């Protein structure tokens, strides 16, 4: 490709020293042998992640450095993480939660999110996470489809749950985290009494729960956690991952993020999304590194301050954040001592060469782009410390992953030819299933390939280059948004009759959400109405999934069967050729 490769001179020894040699000789079977199983021979990802470390020389090592928006600080050692998650396991057992039951966490980035997640896995239940920006509609869709039995949330987020609780007959208990009792609990001080019946408080239950837990002995293929993600059509789908996903998450954390147990690692993602689970809880703790979690909002000065204060060595973030940091200037960077940084990585949306190079300029280190999806459960294509970076490329397949660019018949296309980015099924973190939608799961496969839904090409050196989504899924600030969900929220507005939603290229956010809206008879378009609609979507669906741009239109392009043709809306918006319009009804 045209971009000049970045040839690096490393002043450290990376975990992956010789990419090709490791790739060629790699075997999951050999890797699995290195994992410590439960004493009875069963497997439980949460055991490997925290109990093993709590029993070895890392017992008193800090696993979690947490800092809240107000500067509050909490440190949890591996032993504390293990005991707290044991207690969560018992707390849930006391509520009759068993294997396979779904327990959802609707929480901001607070310490409880992390040890509750592990506690759920420990008893063989399935953990689900919900992004804290979700509104009642998004919550209802996910909690209903999963038939969640328990929801753990905060008093601040609870009002959104209250609005939909009557529609969720299988939601047995809502537990609210009483943060004010956290410190007291940790010091074993007196605790408040449980609240009224529509919910119950967390710490009084924790007080009653035992510290000793009999861990569920799972098969590696048993479900461990699930995340809802969006496609082009229909409601979000529940992607279920198995306990053995940990294997690939740990290997990729080691090779791609270059995690060593001496690292202080900061992943800026939220566990409401898959990155925060795979590389904030599972893969990286498994290696025994210390993880920093910042509960506050994005703020360039604060972010640099955190790196300086905690002496962060490995930093994993996203292109939109990098572009925002770049916009805040290199001068700001120079005010901080960021010399602890060793390796920078990025994921979630295309990382433009300018952003890679800005890392080099500002931190003396380039950002290493990597690629994966909720469904792949872990990084599948990446740039590595020991390989030259071609800025703009996602890099090469992770050891254990066979990636290819194929045509619609399932045949590999040659170098530089655009095609479907596909993977050979069978890696351990490949989704186990789509919750209650086997036909959806099947739709991911073509012949013997797993289809990512992305278009890409490969160059002559085996580097993969992202081109675009093959479908209408929107990536805004790295977050995946399904147009159908936004359209459904829009048409539930009393003044809207129809809506079509697209992702429009945006230099900062990658894409922004644009909605084309047809109003009901008698309703007048206005700027005020646009704002009203935006607020409505933010409140009902999610804070991050509202259309930043709205265009009122009298008619939307539709197929003769009545399906809105988003492809045409996008082509018109971008001034591109309209392509095949033979199925278009009169427009
Ligand atoms: O379109 C690709 C884009 O994000 C999608 C997956 O989104 P999600 O399931 O939310 O997973 C996020 C966890 C990483 C992909 O299908 N994507 C992800 N990484 C990249 C990317 N697009 C371009 N370059 C990347 N590095």
């Amino acid at each position: 490709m045209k971009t000049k490769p970045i040839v690096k001179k490393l002043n450290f020894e990376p975990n992956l020293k010789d990419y090709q040699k490791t790739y060629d000789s790699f075997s999951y079977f050999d890797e699995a042998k290195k994992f410590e199983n439960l004493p009875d021979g069963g497997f439980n990802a949460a055991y490997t992640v925290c109990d093993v470390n709590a029993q070895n020389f890392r017992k008193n090592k800090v696993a979690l450095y947490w800092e809240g928006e107000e500067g509050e600080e909490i440190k949890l050692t591996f032993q504390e993480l293990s005991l707290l998650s044991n207690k969560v396991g018992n707390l849930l057992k006391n509520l009759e939660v068993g294997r396979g039951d779904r327990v959802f966490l609707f929480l901001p980035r607070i310490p409880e999110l992390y040890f509750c997640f592990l506690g759920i896995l420990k008893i063989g239940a399935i953990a689900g996470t919900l992004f804290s920006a979700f509104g009642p509609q998004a919550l209802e869709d996910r909690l209903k489809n999963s038939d969640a039995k328990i929801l753990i949330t905060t008093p601040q987020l609870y009002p959104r749950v209250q609005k939909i609780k009557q529609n969720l007959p299988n939601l047995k208990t809502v537990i609210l985290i009483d943060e004010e009792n956290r410190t007291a609990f940790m010091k074993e001080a007196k605790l408040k009494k449980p609240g009224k019946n529509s919910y119950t408080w967390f710490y009084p239950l924790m007080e009653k729960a035992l510290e000793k837990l009999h861990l569920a002995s799972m098969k590696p293929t048993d479900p461990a956690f699930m995340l809802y993600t969006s496609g082009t059509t229909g409601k979000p789908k529940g992607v279920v991952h198995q306990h053995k996903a940990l294997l690939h998450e740990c290997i990729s954390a080691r090779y791609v993020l270059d995690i060593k147990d001496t690292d202080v690692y900061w992943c800026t993602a939220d566990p409401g999304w898959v990155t925060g689970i795979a590389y904030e809880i599972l893969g990286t703790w498994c290696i025994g590194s210390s993880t920093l979690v910042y509960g506050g909002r994005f703020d360039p000065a604060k972010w640099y301050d955190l790196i300086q204060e905690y002496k962060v060595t490995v930093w994993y973030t996203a292109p939109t954040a990098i572009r925002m940091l770049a916009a805040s200037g290199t001068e700001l960077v120079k005010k901080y001592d960021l010399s602890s940084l060793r390796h920078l990585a990025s994921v979630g949306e295309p990382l433009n060469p300018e952003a890679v190079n800005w890392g080099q300029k500002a931190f003396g280190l380039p950002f290493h782009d990597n690629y994966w999806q909720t469904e792949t459960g872990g990084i599948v294509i990446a740039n590595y410390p020991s390989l030259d970076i071609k800025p703009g490329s996602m890099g090469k397949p992770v050891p254990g992953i066979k990636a290819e660019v194929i045509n619609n018949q399932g045949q590999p296309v040659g170098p530089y030819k655009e095609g479907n980015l596909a993977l050979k099924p069978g890696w351990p973190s490949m989704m186990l299933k789509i919750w209650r939608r086997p036909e959806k799961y099947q739709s991911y496969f073509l012949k013997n390939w797993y289809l990512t839904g992305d278009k890409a090409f490969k160059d002559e050196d085996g580097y993969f280059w992202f081109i675009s989504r093959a479908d209408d899924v929107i990536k805004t600030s790295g977050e995946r948004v399904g147009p159908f969900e936004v359209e459904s929220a829009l048409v539930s507005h009393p003044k809207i009759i129809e809506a079509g939603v697209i992702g429009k290229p945006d230099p900062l956010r990658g894409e922004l959400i644009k909605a084309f809206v047809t109003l009901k008879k008698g309703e007048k378009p206005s700027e005020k109405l646009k704002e009203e609609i935006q607020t409505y979507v933010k409140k009902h669906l999610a804070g991050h999934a509202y259309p930043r741009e709205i265009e009122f239109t009298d008619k939307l392009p539709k197929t003769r069967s009545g399906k809105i043709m988003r492809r045409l809306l996008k082509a018109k918006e971008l001034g591109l050729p309209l392509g095949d319009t033979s199925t278009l009804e009169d427009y």
Side-chain angles (χ1 to χ4, degrees):
M1 246 319 250
K2 322 282 169 286
T3 53
K4 208 168 132 234
I6 298 180
V7 183
K8 290 168 282 176
K9 276 203 194 86
L10 297 183
N11 56 5
F12 61 92
E13 191 158 323
N15 291 334
L16 183 64
K17 290 171 195 68
D18 183 332
Y19 169 80
Q20 205 55 49
K21 203 166 146 206
T22 306
Y23 186 87
D24 293 343
S25 61
F26 185 86
S27 131
Y28 283 118
F29 185 74
D30 292 344
E31 290 292 328
K33 284 196 256 174
K34 297 180 199 156
F35 274 64
E36 220 171 300
N37 286 353
L38 285 166
D40 71 1
F43 185 72
N44 190 310
Y47 173 79
T48 315
V49 165
C50 73
D51 292 4
V52 168
N53 287 320
Q55 287 159 19
N56 64 23
F57 62 97
R58 298 192 190 103
K59 180 174 164 176
N60 295 319
K61 182 184 172 179
V62 176
L64 175 70
Y65 286 106
W66 178 80
E67 190 168 321
E69 179 112 55
E70 311 298 328
E72 329 83 284
E73 288 178 22
I74 286 179
K75 284 184 203 159
L76 296 178
T77 63
F78 277 105
Q79 189 182 37
E80 287 164 332
L81 201 60
S82 167
L83 293 177
L84 287 165
S85 52
N86 275 358
K87 267 182 162 283
V88 172
N90 280 321
L91 175 164
L92 294 170
K93 275 186 163 181
N94 294 344
L95 293 170
E96 289 169 9
V97 176
R99 275 173 186 252
D101 284 339
R102 276 76 60 209
V103 178
F104 271 71
L105 304 167
F106 178 39
L107 293 171
R109 291 185 301 279
I110 55 175
E112 288 80 0
L113 171 51
Y114 300 84
F115 59 78
C116 282
F117 185 92
L118 292 168
I120 299 166
L121 264 58
K122 280 187 170 182
I123 61 162
I126 303 175
T129 56
L130 297 162
F131 189 42
S132 57
F134 283 150
Q137 189 58 59
L139 292 173
E140 183 176 335
D141 288 342
R142 290 155 175 83
L143 293 169
K144 205 182 247 171
N145 178 265
S146 61
D147 265 338
K149 188 168 181 178
I150 307 278
L151 177 70
I152 304 180
T153 185
T154 62
Q156 295 78 13
L157 294 173
Y158 181 66
R160 298 187 216 165
V161 180
Q162 208 169 13
K163 286 202 177 104
I164 51 155
K165 206 164 165 273
Q166 71 281 7
N167 306 334
L168 303 166
N170 295 325
L171 184 62
K172 206 177 133 208
T173 312
V174 177
I175 305 173
L176 303 191
I177 306 273
D178 39 343
E179 275 180 271
E180 68 281 9
N181 283 333
R182 178 196 288 145
T183 324
F185 172 82
M186 304 263 180
K187 286 190 192 142
E188 288 174 310
K190 215 172 136 260
L191 293 156
K192 262 194 186 169
K193 288 214 173 75
K196 288 186 233 94
N197 6 359
S198 59
Y199 54 82
T200 178
W201 293 107
F202 181 73
Y203 279 111
L205 295 178
M206 282 289 271
E207 179 79 346
K208 280 190 221 142
L210 297 176
E211 258 179 18
K212 207 166 153 29
L213 175 74
H214 182 76
L215 263 69
S217 180
M218 311 300 286
K219 290 200 291 297
T221 49
D222 280 334
F225 62 95
M226 67 190 289
L227 282 140
Y228 278 82
T229 193
S230 302
T232 303
T233 54
K235 294 282 186 186
K237 45 201 173 180
V239 174
V240 181
H241 284 289
Q242 22 190 353
H243 277 261
K244 72 171 182 182
L246 179 67
L247 185 60
H248 182 76
E249 289 163 352
C250 181
I251 291 161
S252 47
R254 194 175 342 125
Y255 288 156
V256 181
L257 303 176
D258 198 48
I259 301 289
K260 302 163 177 30
D261 85 337
T262 44
D263 277 315
V264 178
Y265 160 76
W266 184 27
C267 169
T268 60
D270 188 294
W273 308 111
V274 71
T275 313
I277 293 180
Y279 299 107
E280 225 174 312
I281 302 180
L282 297 176
T284 38
W285 267 338
C286 180
I287 299 174
S289 62
S290 300
T291 288
L292 168 66
V293 170
Y294 175 53
R297 284 159 207 273
F298 174 80
D299 173 56
K302 181 66 197 173
W303 276 32
Y304 299 142
D305 190 48
L306 287 164
I307 295 172
Q308 177 178 271
E309 187 188 334
Y310 291 92
K311 299 198 170 33
V312 171
T313 50
V314 179
W315 183 24
Y316 192 22
T317 189
T320 297
I322 298 168
R323 289 189 288 264
M324 285 162 117
L325 291 172
S328 72
T330 314
E331 279 314 298
L332 183 64
V333 183
K334 305 288 174 216
K335 291 190 182 154
Y336 297 84
D337 175 6
L338 307 181
S339 56
S340 58
L341 288 172
R342 180 182 89 243
H343 181 51
L344 315 182
S346 162
V347 74
E349 39 169 333
L351 183 68
N352 44 320
E354 299 74 25
V356 178
N357 293 325
W358 180 75
Q360 187 84 311
K361 196 169 126 204
F363 310 105
L365 299 166
F367 281 97
H368 293 69
D369 187 19
N370 57 68
Y371 166 93
W372 57 295
Q373 311 178 290
T374 306
E375 294 89 334
T376 67
I379 302 167
V380 289
I381 295 177
N383 288 283
Y384 309 84
S386 55
L387 277 192
D388 296 349
I389 294 179
K390 297 193 189 186
S393 159
M394 305 188 287
K396 295 190 177 199
V398 175
I401 301 291
K402 179 154 174 30
E404 201 39 277
V405 178
I406 61 171
N407 61 20
N408 292 342
Q409 286 70 49
Q411 299 306 321
V413 299
Y416 294 104
K417 294 258 170 26
E418 174 175 338
N420 305 299
L421 178 57
L423 308 169
K424 258 287 145 64
W427 70 98
S429 66
M430 186 179 102
M431 64 174 163
L432 176 65
K433 59 182 172 186
I434 299 284
W435 188 255
R436 289 187 180 148
R437 288 173 75 183
E439 75 303 336
K440 197 83 204 168
Y441 178 80
Q442 284 311 327
S443 73
Y444 279 89
F445 300 94
L446 172 68
K447 298 209 167 135
N448 50 355
W449 290 103
Y450 160 87
L451 293 175
T452 60
D454 288 311
K455 297 262 180 209
F457 70 86
K458 196 164 88 166
D459 68 18
E460 74 277 16
D461 299 322
Y463 282 72
F464 284 76
W465 299 74
F466 181 84
I467 297 175
S468 67
R469 286 288 309 178
D471 56 21
D472 296 331
V473 167
I474 302 166
K475 265 282 162 148
T476 180
S477 302
E479 274 147 18
R480 182 161 156 183
V481 176
F484 180 77
E485 259 196 296
V486 186
E487 287 161 1
S488 306
L490 285 165
V491 296
S492 71
H493 186 282
K495 295 182 185 165
I496 297 176
I497 187 143
E498 273 182 335
V501 165
I502 60 160
K504 177 178 168 180
D506 178 76
L508 188 64
R509 295 189 165 79
E511 283 186 317
L512 60 77
I513 302 174
K514 169 147 192 177
F516 296 84
V517 163
T518 312
L519 294 176
K520 285 193 181 152
K521 236 183 165 166
E523 298 297 345
K524 296 231 164 3
S526 69
E527 286 306 309
K528 196 162 157 268
L529 182 55
K530 279 187 190 172
E531 279 169 31
E532 182 189 310
I533 295 169
Q534 286 170 329
T535 311
Y536 178 87
V537 179
K538 267 189 216 171
K539 253 180 92 181
H540 285 255
L541 182 64
H544 66 287
Y546 75 96
R548 283 179 189 266
E549 276 186 27
I550 295 180
E551 189 173 318
F552 296 110
T553 170
D554 292 338
K555 214 165 176 208
L556 289 166
K558 278 190 238 149
T559 59
R560 290 196 192 97
S561 58
K563 244 175 79 182
I564 293 170
M565 293 179 86
R566 300 188 192 108
R567 179 177 63 78
L568 284 193
L569 287 172
K570 194 156 182 168
K572 277 188 100 176
E573 178 69 30
L574 306 182
L576 300 171
L578 298 186
D580 180 10
T581 53
S582 56
T583 57
L584 183 69
E585 64 156 21
D586 293 340
Y587 176 50

